[in-house]
Amino acid sequence: MPFAIYVPFFPGHEPNVIFSREAEIADYSAYLALAEQTTSAAVFEAEVPADGPVVDAGCGGGRWLVRLHQRGRRMIGLDMHRPVLQHLREQAPAVPVLCAAVTALPFQADALAALISLGVVEHTEAGPAAALREFARVLRPGGRLLLSVPFNNLLRRLVVNHWYRRYNSRWAGRGYYFVEYRFTRREILAALRRAGIRPLSCHPHDLKPPHNVGLVADLNMLSIRFEQEGAALRLRLPHGGEWRLQGWRALAARLLYRFSPWLGAAEILVVAEKPGASR
């Protein structure tokens, strides 16, 4: 079973406040530039076709949406958070965007040359099956899927997961709410096959040191707390600082990356296709 992550939220505070913060990007140029620091950047160039429409499902602030649009792909952004889409429309007005859920895509069957979905399908407690079936429906035969989900890497299995079990997971349903699943390679490949999608290759998906999304995300989510402010509770969310590590944390990220990019990778990126005719 994928490893479930829970964090402390209370009535009146929606867990998705964490994931809508890309509506508040202060330096959009720096945000886009981080794409070049991603370990899997070359995979997008090689695998996203230029001969048909490509949807970024759950596009957030649009880092990959805009990057690929600038490189000649016919991109369409899709997200369910309206403030995020409004910010994206202001920053990249030439890129069309739609408001919809990944489980109900507003496209006909076999319509898309490719679909990208990065860090999205893991946020449904029922699992990713409904979204993956929808991806299979809208992709044309031979169409590419680039899917990333949180990776249950070795560091997490040996160390981090035990912290979550001790401090967060035991409170599930008692003030702590589900945030995401983290998958091993075998688990996400099996989910794709059940949806009728054929995996082709897997890649570690994170930023190169001294940046690291996985380490920063784990430190942040274990630090989420509520603080008393008068008669009210205020949610204290730590900031990613552009996912940059300092001091011994940066050194640890470099050592992990040098030994193997998989050890500390935040996500696993799977390239897959809908069976059928070639592109």
Side-chain angles (χ1 to χ4, degrees), residues 57-78:
C59 62
R63 177 180 289 130
W64 292 101
L65 177 71
V66 173
R67 185 179 193 269
L68 290 167
H69 170 78
Q70 292 171 342
R71 285 157 173 76
R73 289 0 184 245
R74 293 169 52 191
M75 301 300 298
I76 302 169
L78 182 145

Side-chain angles (χ1 to χ4, degrees), residues 167-233:
Y167 295 111
N168 287 10
S169 298
R170 66 191 177 93
W171 289 97
R174 294 189 290 163
Y176 281 58
Y177 290 80
F178 173 80
V179 172
E180 67 183 27
Y181 287 115
R182 292 176 173 180
F183 297 80
T184 63
R185 186 188 315 223
R186 179 180 298 179
E187 288 165 345
I188 191 56
L189 296 185
L192 285 164
R193 293 187 180 104
R194 287 193 295 269
I197 302 171
R198 181 167 55 217
L200 299 175
S201 61
C202 296
H203 310 268
H205 185 62
D206 207 322
L207 298 172
K208 298 175 184 177
H211 302 84
N212 185 283
V213 175
L215 294 175
V216 174
D218 284 330
L219 291 169
N220 281 0
M221 283 207 282
L222 285 165
S223 301
I224 292 171
R225 296 293 180 267
F226 284 80
E227 297 173 342
Q228 194 74 35
E229 193 172 82
L233 286 173

